[in-house]
Amino acid sequence: MDRFKIEPTKYTIEVDLDPATGVFSMSGSSYPEDAMSFFEPVNEWIENYINQEKRGITLNIRMNYINSSSSKCFIDIFEILENYATAGGEVMVNWYYMEDDDDICDTGEELLEDMDFPYQLIAY
């Protein structure tokens, strides 16, 4: 599998999904005009990785801002990871937030609290 990378823009996050290491990173601000279209290839790549590689996944997320439609897209990603974890796959999500950014911390907690895989909220 090839590495999947999207460069950040003013409205979209940077995405770097590395199949060689199983480390996936998403960072920046997410308020695209059409969040579903932006995240659809990301979801497809992750599903293909899970089906082909069957290896552990560490997802590192470092958001500055996330709108509600992007939040829904993150839930979709987390549900893909939850299904993988439930089937025996190894998953870890690290949600990074600036120490004084309660909104991003709360968002991460709300999005991850019902998921059935390990995660951490990490202040920096």
Side-chain angles (χ1 to χ4, degrees):
M1 274 190 92
D2 292 330
R3 187 175 198 154
F4 183 91
K5 196 158 172 54
I6 300 173
E7 295 298 326
T9 69
K10 181 177 178 181
Y11 305 105
T12 61
I13 60 173
E14 176 180 21
V15 177
D16 186 3
L17 311 177
D18 187 349
T21 63
V23 176
F24 303 170
S25 300
M26 300 178 186
S27 62
S29 296
S30 187
Y31 50 103
E33 189 171 310
D34 184 356
M36 296 297 279
S37 292
F38 177 82
F39 281 96
E40 185 177 345
V42 175
N43 294 357
E44 288 176 9
W45 191 96
I46 293 171
E47 287 176 342
N48 287 334
Y49 174 85
I50 287 169
N51 291 329
Q52 292 177 27
E53 302 294 328
K54 302 196 183 331
R55 294 182 18 216
I57 296 170
T58 300
L59 173 57
N60 297 313
I61 301 170
R62 188 180 307 245
M63 301 302 300
N64 300 327
Y65 176 79
I66 181 171
N67 68 4
S68 58
S69 59
S70 295
S71 291
K72 168 62 176 116
C73 293
F74 273 99
I75 290 172
D76 293 343
I77 291 169
F78 295 156
E79 287 175 350
I80 292 167
L81 297 178
E82 183 175 46
N83 290 338
Y84 183 51
T86 301
E90 193 176 316
V91 173
M92 179 65 188
V93 174
N94 299 308
W95 183 278
Y96 294 90
Y97 64 95
M98 289 179 52
E99 194 168 26
D100 61 347
D101 193 341
D102 294 336
D103 290 339
I104 293 294
C105 177
D106 292 345
T107 299
E109 190 167 23
E110 289 169 15
L111 294 176
L112 290 162
E113 67 186 350
D114 293 329
M115 296 298 152
D116 192 22
F117 55 73
Y119 66 88
Q120 300 178 89
L121 301 171
I122 303 169
Y124 67 93

